[in-house]
Amino acid sequence: GIQVEQSPPDLILQEGANSTLRCNFSDSVNNLQWFHQNPWGQLINLFYIPSGTKQNGRLSATTVATERYSLLYISSSQTTDSGVYFCAVGEDSNYQLIWGAGTKLIIKP
Amino acid sequence: DADVTQTPRNRITKTGKRIMLECSQTKGHDRMYWYRQDPGLGLRLIYYSFDVKDINKGEISDGYSVSRQAQAKFSLSLESAIPNQTALYFCATSAGQGVNTQYFGPGTRLTVL
């Protein structure tokens, strides 16, 4: 099956810093989503981005499907950005999402 | 009100007990999913359902069963709970055709002693 690897596993930054999170996947996918899990456990969908680039405020994401990776950019980090960021991929044909282990981000004030 | 709700939010039970976790949604989505999350790991799919009559096993269905009582309700049962089923359980929904963005409930923290 598809393997998903996220890096780095942990990231500690000062408020105001920028960061780049990476997701590598082992096979072609038609579905790629980025999620944020806040410190209280709630999962929020950030982007549906099987290819191309999207931006939403301070967050943006780029997926290069031909090279099997996706990047999540966070600019001007705030303490509320802390939590775990997950990448999940899948083939629409079987409707299952395969999840990476996540990147734990801590933003210090 | 939340679009996807889960009950209970927390549950402590003993080995061998039958447990049911419930999920309801007001998003009008056809597809519903049950995942479990273990510490330090991503989510793993237990079961998913495309509509009331279509239920499918996910990656880790052993020891679990589900019931899709209506479009808006999807329940997960542990027939005889065991300690390694201690985890955080999430329900999710998606619209189906086209963009398959998934929306998650708040999670149920289950502890099996």
Side-chain angles (χ1 to χ4, degrees):
Chain A
I2 299 173
Q3 305 295 315
V4 182
E5 294 184 356
Q6 291 187 243
S7 59
D10 300 281
L11 189 58
I12 302 174
L13 299 171
Q14 290 295 133
E15 198 169 24
N18 300 329
S19 58
T20 300
L21 283 58
R22 186 177 181 101
C23 172
N24 292 333
F25 43 96
S26 61
D27 206 345
S28 298
V29 299
N30 291 318
N31 186 346
L32 188 148
Q33 300 181 37
W34 282 98
F35 294 87
H36 175 222
Q37 186 170 35
N38 66 24
W40 297 270
Q42 180 68 44
L43 277 161
I44 303 297
N45 188 288
L46 298 175
F47 294 104
Y48 172 85
I49 187 166
S51 64
T53 297
K54 289 186 177 179
Q55 182 161 3
N56 184 2
R58 295 181 297 104
L59 275 61
S60 64
T62 295
T63 298
V64 183
T66 54
E67 297 187 20
R68 300 180 183 169
Y69 73 89
S70 183
L71 301 173
L72 178 69
Y73 304 97
I74 305 173
S75 64
S76 304
S77 298
Q78 301 175 358
T79 55
T80 52
D81 294 331
S82 296
V84 182
Y85 290 80
F86 289 102
C87 168
V89 305
E91 302 170 0
D92 285 341
S93 60
N94 66 16
Y95 304 103
Q96 296 194 45
L97 284 178
I98 307 300
W99 292 64
T103 292
K104 185 175 183 179
L105 178 64
I106 298 174
I107 303 298
K108 294 186 172 183
Chain B
D1 288 339
D3 294 322
V4 185
T5 58
Q6 293 182 232
T7 57
R9 295 293 311 279
N10 290 282
R11 182 73 183 268
I12 300 173
T13 191
K14 294 182 179 180
T15 296
K17 295 291 187 180
R18 184 179 187 274
I19 296 296
M20 178 179 286
L21 309 182
E22 299 187 349
C23 176
S24 295
Q25 53 113 346
T26 59
K27 298 187 75 69
H29 289 168
D30 288 327
R31 298 179 184 176
M32 299 186 73
Y33 310 80
W34 275 105
Y35 291 93
R36 68 176 276 174
Q37 183 180 27
D38 295 285
L41 299 178
L43 277 65
R44 290 183 292 168
L45 184 64
I46 305 172
Y47 272 94
Y48 60 105
S49 170
F50 292 160
D51 63 38
V52 174
K53 297 181 179 180
D54 188 355
I55 293 176
N56 306 276
K57 292 183 177 180
E59 179 186 357
I60 54 164
S61 59
D62 287 348
Y64 301 94
S65 63
V66 292
S67 173
R68 184 83 183 264
Q69 301 94 323
Q71 185 206 35
K73 297 184 182 295
F74 193 34
S75 300
L76 176 72
S77 294
L78 288 69
E79 296 300 326
S80 179
I82 56 177
N84 75 3
Q85 290 177 314
T86 294
L88 186 57
Y89 289 84
F90 286 100
C91 174
T93 74
S94 68
Q97 297 299 322
V99 174
N100 191 24
T101 301
Q102 294 191 10
Y103 299 88
F104 284 80
T108 294
R109 189 169 298 279
L110 177 66
T111 302
V112 183
L113 301 177

